[in-house]
Amino acid sequence: MGSVAENLKIIRERIAAACLRSGRDPGEVHLIGVTKTVPLDRIIEGVEAGIEILGENYVQEAKEKITALRKHNITWHFIGHLQTNKAKTAVEYCDCIQTLDRESLARELHRHALQTRRKVAVLIQVNVGAETSKNGVSPENLTDLFCYASALEGLEVQGLMALPPYYEDPNLVRPHFRAMRELLDQLRRQASRPERMTHLSMGMSHDFEQAIEEGATMVRIGTALFGTRSG
Ligand SMILES: *Cc1c(COP(=O)(O)O)cnc(C)c1O
């Protein structure tokens, strides 16, 4: 495994190539460096190499890393399962919560957003593969959750996020990526501000090129960037 800077360069080239193949502007695809279990010095290597958005799965880890990296200009996305009783900390520390998956969490995020006098950017996590092991709202219940969250003035719903099933052959994930894109298009037709509802967070180390070809605007990359996780 190379240095984070070398890995980043290769990933950027692969993102650009996937954009070229699918006629997309590389400027509309954001790379999120996933830092779960990654030690601080390795994260800093990435930040110094030019990573601007980081994603964390655990609230406590997020808090510590965000505090330690305050002087760097980084946007933080929360990408793990969020317990309702951790919503306050997540709102305090993170710029975007990608894992809104139920009304009770929407209510809590909204409440804490009002207390901090800002709108919190959220994505709705969809369990696109209908897997019992995974969080996310089912595609059937997505419209209801979207309408509910959109009516809360503390939240700004900016799009959808998914963690589709794993396949050895990443091309087999494409139908799930496509389903996500269709769900986003459907919601946009009902959205009062469709121009704000543009993000599709999907694709990881193993399948980000396929995700980009199918419309991802955020790819969340851990191992390909920082190396194999220890924990
Ligand atoms: C760990 C994780 C990733 C990154 O996975 P890699 O395969 O290491 O790139 C992306 N999204 C979520 C939600 C994760 O938990």
Side-chain angles (χ1 to χ4, degrees), residues 18-19 23 34-35 44-45 54 71 112 128 140 158 164 169 171-172 196 214:
C19 285
V34 175
T35 58
I44 291 171
E45 235 187 288
L54 294 174
K71 69 175 185 332
H112 295 299
V128 69
E140 297 73 42
Q158 297 186 342
D169 174 0
N171 283 309
L172 297 178
R196 291 271 166 168
E214 302 296 344

Side-chain angles (χ1 to χ4, degrees), residues 34 36 57 79 161 163 204-206 220-224 229:
V34 175
K36 61 171 178 251
N57 291 63
I79 62 170
M161 178 270 208
L163 209 93
M204 315 201 293
S205 292
H206 169 71
R220 308 179 309 264
I221 303 184
T223 40
R229 281 183 289 275

